[in-house]
Amino acid sequence: MRDLASLDAEELAVTWLSQHDELTGVLGGPGRVGARNAPPYPRIRVTQVPGGSAPGWRWTATFHLQVEALGDLDRSTPRPVLRLAFTTAVKALHELAVQEGKPGRPVVTAVRALSAGGWLPEPTGQGRYVGVVALTAHPAAG
């Protein structure tokens, strides 16, 4: 059995979203999900932020993940496109909690939106929708 230190919620979310067909279609192709604000755009950025819960006596922990839909640097990405990308990403993350367990993969037991998300451009003016989700999981057995 692995411990919670081996569970990287950010990596888990990025991997899941990168392979999600509906999100890939909304974003316009693969390679548009990661932890950095880098082309190609539009893209989804997922980063773990402070918050959540320590495992305590349980074998699970809750991680807070900031989900952002980022537009082109020249501010040309329409706001509705970013909103759709953001909502599709959050919906896709919720699907993690109903996936069948697979050997070697962490088990997500719950995903909950902590905010409805909203329009909050980067300081540079780059378009951005942003929100936070709580992902509760335990590491894979074995």
Side-chain angles (χ1 to χ4, degrees), residues 73-110:
L73 297 174
D74 66 2
R75 306 175 192 170
S76 63
T77 309
R79 198 167 159 172
V81 168
L82 294 178
R83 184 176 191 290
L84 177 60
F86 172 80
T87 58
T88 303
V90 171
K91 181 181 102 175
L93 286 172
H94 278 84
E95 293 170 6
L96 270 170
V98 295
Q99 295 302 303
E100 225 177 274
K102 293 184 180 175
R105 189 177 92 186
V107 176
V108 176
T109 57

Side-chain angles (χ1 to χ4, degrees), residues 53-136:
S53 66
W57 60 270
R58 299 178 60 182
W59 189 42
T60 62
T62 299
F63 305 89
H64 288 183
L65 299 173
Q66 182 166 295
V67 179
E68 300 167 86
L70 298 160
D72 287 291
L73 297 174
D74 66 2
R75 306 175 192 170
S76 63
T77 309
R79 198 167 159 172
V81 168
L82 294 178
R83 184 176 191 290
L84 177 60
F86 172 80
T87 58
T88 303
V90 171
K91 181 181 102 175
L93 286 172
H94 278 84
E95 293 170 6
L96 270 170
V98 295
Q99 295 302 303
E100 225 177 274
K102 293 184 180 175
R105 189 177 92 186
V107 176
V108 176
T109 57
V111 176
R112 175 171 64 98
L114 298 179
S115 68
W119 178 252
L120 184 63
E122 291 276 49
T124 62
Q126 179 184 18
R128 176 177 71 157
Y129 261 88
V130 63
V132 178
V133 300
L135 183 144
T136 303

